[in-house]
Amino acid sequence: MIDLYTSPTPNGWKVAMMLEELSLPYNVNYIDLAAKDQATPEFLTMNPNGRIPVIVDHDADDLVVFDSNAILFYLAEKTGKLLPKEGAARHDVMQWLMFQASGIGPMQGQAVTFERYFPEDVPAARKRYHNETLRLYTVLNTRLSDREWLAGEFSIADISNWSWIRSHRWARVPTEGLPNLERWMDQLRARPACERGLNIPPSSGRADMAKSLGSAMTTT
Amino acid sequence: MIDLYTSPTPNGWKVAMMLEELSLPYNVNYIDLAAKDQATPEFLTMNPNGRIPVIVDHDADDLVVFDSNAILFYLAEKTGKLLPKEGAARHDVMQWLMFQASGIGPMQGQAVTFERYFPEDVPAARKRYHNETLRLYTVLNTRLSDREWLAGEFSIADISNWSWIRSHRWARVPTEGLPNLERWMDQLRARPACERGLNIPPSSGRADMAKSLGSAMTTT
C-alpha cells in the first residue's frame, strides 16, 4: 500500500492521476495548505522542502519520495509502465518530463502569481510570464503536430505537462490557436483514470482550488 | 564520441562537469546566445525549446538529448555512474535532482532577472525571489548537516545543484550563515573534473559570463 500526502493542486493531481492510471492501491492523506500542514515537523521529516505531494511506499520498506516528477519516475520504474525501460524512447520521455519540471511548472506558476496574488500590479512581470508560458505551450503545439503523445506512447511526460496546462485559464494564458495542444488535452481529458485523479483529493469547488493553487504556487 | 552544444552558463557547465567526471570523449560546439545561435533551424531541430545544452551521442545512433538534467540522467544511465542503479538510493538522487530542476534553477534564475535585467526595479519581486532562493539554500544546508553529499555518494544531484548555487553572488543571494552548504561547495570546488568543466566552453571573463547568464536566464 502507498500513502499519498497531497492537495488539489497541479503537482498533487499528477501523482493521483499516475496512481489511478497504474491501478495501484493507495491511501489519500489530505494536506491543508492554508492550515500549513506542509510545515509541520512530521511533514518536513518526509519532505524537508515543505511541499506536496509526497508518497510513502509501505511495500518498499516505507520508502519516502517527494517532488511530483520524482514520484512519477519512481512509480514508472516500480511498475515498468509509462516510461520505456531503455533506449532512445526512454530519454525522449525524460527530456519532456524535465520540460515540465523546469519550464511549464515554474513559468506558469509565476504567471498565476503575478496575475492573481502579487501584492501589486506589475504589468511588465505579468507580460514576462504570460509570454514565456505561451512560448512553452507553442513549443508543445509544434511537437504535437505529427504525433499523438509528447514522446512515443502515452507516458509520465503527458501526465506531468497536462496537469499544469489544463489550468491555463487560471494563469490567463490562452490555448486558442494551438490546435495540436488542444487535441492532446482532449485526449487526456478522455482518459477515465486521469478524470478520477483530478478529483483526488476532492475539491470543494472553484474557491477551494483557487486557494490551494495560490498557497502552492506563492512561495514568499 | 559525443557532441556537446553549450555556452558558459549554469546549465551548460552541468553537462561539461558531468562529461569531465565520467572521462567521456566529446567535442564542444560553442553556441553564442547573444547571436541567437540557439534559435537557428538547425539548433531547433535538436531542441525545439531553443535552449542549451544539447548533446548528440554518435555512439548511440546519433541520439539527441536536450535539457541539462535529462542529459545528466542519460549520461548516468549510459555509464552506470553517479546515479545508483536501483533501490532507495536511486530515488533519493532523483528527488534532489528534481529539487534543482523545479526549484533552485527557476527561482535563482528569476532572482538574477529581477536583480540585474528587468527593465524596471520591482523591490517586491526582488524580495520574492531572493527569499525563495535563500529558503531553498537553507533546505540544502539542513540536508547537508549530517552527510557529505546531497544523496548518498557524490551524484548528479550534487553537480546539478552546485552548478547554479556557485553563482549565488550573481543573484545577490548570500551563503553566509549556511556552513554546511559552504562546506559542500568547497568539496565540489576541490574536484579537478568539476574545475575543468567550469571552463568549458572557455569564458572571456566576467563580462562574457554576465552576458551569457543574462541571455540564458532572461526568457522574455
Side-chain angles (χ1 to χ4, degrees):
Chain A
M1 181 69 82
I2 289 171
D3 262 303
L4 168 63
Y5 296 81
T6 194
S7 293
T9 76
N11 287 334
W13 293 320
K14 274 183 203 170
V15 177
M17 285 194 276
M18 181 71 173
L19 289 162
E20 291 290 329
E21 284 282 350
L22 298 172
S23 299
L24 286 173
Y26 63 105
N27 295 319
V28 178
N29 302 269
Y30 175 65
I31 299 297
D32 185 341
L33 299 176
K36 298 281 183 195
D37 286 353
Q38 76 279 20
T40 63
E42 295 74 20
F43 191 89
L44 293 173
T45 300
M46 296 191 295
N47 180 2
N49 194 29
R51 293 287 182 274
I52 66 98
V54 174
I55 63 164
V56 180
D57 188 347
H58 300 295
D59 301 322
D61 293 329
D62 297 335
L63 178 68
V64 179
V65 187
F66 67 79
D67 184 287
S68 59
N69 289 310
I71 296 170
L72 294 186
F73 176 79
Y74 169 75
L75 294 172
E77 291 217 322
K78 174 186 173 80
T79 59
K81 293 179 181 169
L82 303 190
L83 172 66
K85 288 177 188 163
E86 58 187 8
R90 177 175 179 82
H91 298 285
D92 201 17
V93 170
M94 289 303 288
Q95 68 189 358
W96 290 103
L97 183 74
M98 291 295 184
F99 181 90
Q100 192 285 321
S102 63
I104 293 282
M107 293 300 105
Q108 188 174 326
Q110 304 322 300
V112 169
T113 294
F114 283 96
E115 286 288 339
R116 297 185 180 272
Y117 300 107
F118 207 62
E120 59 197 84
D121 184 32
V122 186
R126 279 196 284 112
K127 184 180 173 193
R128 169 181 170 79
Y129 296 111
H130 179 97
N131 288 355
E132 174 62 1
T133 304
L134 188 57
R135 187 190 71 77
L136 294 167
Y137 287 4
T138 303
V139 170
L140 294 179
N141 186 63
T142 302
R143 172 73 181 172
L144 290 161
S145 64
D146 61 353
R147 66 197 78 214
E148 187 175 8
W149 302 107
L150 284 175
E153 301 293 311
F154 174 73
S155 75
I156 55 175
D158 296 294
I159 292 175
S160 182
N161 280 280
W162 185 57
S163 196
W164 277 80
I165 299 171
R166 63 181 287 281
S167 299
H168 67 94
R169 287 185 191 86
W170 189 243
R172 298 199 180 107
V173 180
T175 59
E176 285 77 21
L178 302 172
N180 308 312
L181 186 72
E182 293 193 327
R183 182 260 305 157
W184 168 82
M185 291 169 74
D186 288 340
Q187 291 166 203
L188 280 146
R189 247 178 237 118
R191 297 182 73 94
C194 285
E195 176 70 24
R196 288 195 301 275
L198 292 174
N199 289 300
I200 295 168
S203 170
S204 57
R206 184 80 185 177
D208 186 62
M209 184 183 97
K211 187 180 66 181
S212 300
L213 277 167
S215 303
M217 292 176 184
T218 305
T219 48
T220 58
Chain B
M1 182 69 83
I2 289 172
D3 262 304
L4 168 63
Y5 296 82
T6 194
S7 292
T9 76
N11 287 334
W13 293 320
K14 272 183 205 172
V15 177
M17 285 193 276
M18 181 72 175
L19 289 162
E20 291 291 330
E21 284 282 351
L22 298 172
S23 299
L24 286 173
Y26 63 104
N27 296 319
V28 178
N29 302 270
Y30 174 65
I31 299 297
D32 185 341
L33 298 175
K36 299 279 182 195
D37 286 353
Q38 75 279 21
T40 63
E42 294 74 20
F43 191 88
L44 293 174
T45 301
M46 297 191 294
N47 180 3
N49 194 30
R51 293 287 182 273
I52 65 97
V54 174
I55 63 164
V56 181
D57 188 346
H58 300 295
D59 301 322
D61 293 329
D62 297 335
L63 178 68
V64 180
V65 186
F66 66 79
D67 183 287
S68 59
N69 289 310
I71 296 170
L72 294 187
F73 176 79
Y74 170 75
L75 294 172
E77 291 217 322
K78 174 187 173 80
T79 59
K81 293 178 182 169
L82 303 192
L83 172 65
K85 288 177 188 163
E86 58 188 6
R90 177 174 178 82
H91 298 285
D92 201 17
V93 170
M94 290 302 287
Q95 67 189 359
W96 290 102
L97 184 75
M98 291 295 184
F99 181 89
Q100 192 287 320
S102 63
I104 292 284
M107 293 300 104
Q108 188 173 327
Q110 303 322 300
V112 169
T113 295
F114 283 96
E115 286 289 338
R116 296 187 180 273
Y117 299 108
F118 207 62
E120 57 196 86
D121 184 32
V122 186
R126 279 197 285 112
K127 184 180 172 193
R128 168 181 170 80
Y129 296 111
H130 179 96
N131 288 355
E132 174 62 2
T133 305
L134 188 56
R135 187 190 70 79
L136 293 167
Y137 288 5
T138 304
V139 170
L140 294 180
N141 185 63
T142 302
R143 172 73 180 170
L144 290 161
S145 64
D146 60 354
R147 67 198 79 214
E148 186 175 11
W149 303 106
L150 285 175
E153 301 293 311
F154 175 71
S155 74
I156 54 175
D158 296 295
I159 292 174
S160 182
N161 280 280
W162 185 58
S163 197
W164 278 79
I165 298 171
R166 64 180 286 282
S167 298
H168 67 94
R169 288 186 190 84
W170 189 244
R172 300 198 179 108
V173 178
T175 58
E176 285 76 21
L178 302 173
N180 309 312
L181 186 72
E182 293 193 327
R183 181 261 304 158
W184 168 83
M185 291 169 73
D186 288 341
Q187 290 166 203
L188 279 146
R189 247 178 237 118
R191 296 182 73 93
C194 284
E195 176 71 23
R196 288 195 301 276
L198 292 175
N199 289 299
I200 296 167
S203 169
S204 57
R206 183 83 186 174
D208 186 61
M209 185 185 93
K211 187 181 67 180
S212 300
L213 277 168
S215 302
M217 293 176 186
T218 306
T219 49
T220 59

